[in-house]
Amino acid sequence: VQLQASGGGSVQPGGSLTLSCAASGSIFRINFMGWYRQAPGKQRELVALVISDGRTTYTDSVKGRFTISRDNAKNTVYLQMNSLKPEDTAVYYCNANLRTDGNRVPATYWGQGTQVTVSS
């Protein structure tokens, strides 16, 4: 299983970016997909999560600005980030909890990080 993230970059405060992450491989079922971020000198934190039934959760600092969505047919998760702030600067990682073909126990997989820089 591989998670391929894309969409990071540099943007001015107030700008927008959209991250995407596609899962590929022998996937039987994805339970949830999400985005985490890690700023320099800080611990990795959950940004947003979308469960298989469509329910979402967000960390308080991004509520109202970020939107997570998922395309089940493409095994892809998106993170639309609006009104970006300098404190959103971090490496963003996608992850997925899923079952692979032939395995009953789900496991968590991580994509490579993508840098988001918000600066004037």
Side-chain angles (χ1 to χ4, degrees):
V1 174
Q2 287 188 330
L3 300 183
Q4 182 66 45
S6 62
S10 296
V11 65
Q12 292 185 340
S16 298
L17 284 174
T18 301
L19 307 181
S20 63
C21 177
S24 61
S26 299
I27 298 169
F28 175 74
R29 174 186 169 87
I30 298 178
N31 295 320
F32 60 81
M33 299 184 79
W35 290 94
Y36 287 71
R37 66 186 179 187
Q38 187 166 18
K42 295 187 177 181
Q43 289 187 333
R44 189 174 297 189
E45 65 169 350
L46 173 66
V47 178
L49 198 68
V50 57
I51 305 174
S52 57
D53 62 3
R55 286 180 292 165
T56 58
T57 187
Y58 298 89
T59 191
D60 286 346
S61 63
V62 308
K63 286 180 180 177
R65 300 187 298 120
F66 291 11
T67 302
I68 190 170
S69 61
R70 179 174 158 182
D71 184 332
N72 291 331
K74 296 181 179 180
N75 289 334
T76 298
V77 63
Y78 305 94
L79 185 68
Q80 173 67 44
M81 305 183 292
N82 298 325
S83 302
L84 282 160
K85 303 176 180 180
E87 51 263 43
D88 295 317
T89 296
V91 178
Y92 284 69
Y93 299 90
C94 64
N95 89 338
N97 181 272
L98 58 85
R99 286 176 53 188
T100 55
D101 292 338
N103 286 297
R104 294 186 177 183
V105 179
T108 298
Y109 296 84
W110 291 89
Q112 88 284 8
T114 184
Q115 177 71 44
V116 171
T117 302
V118 185
S119 174
S120 56

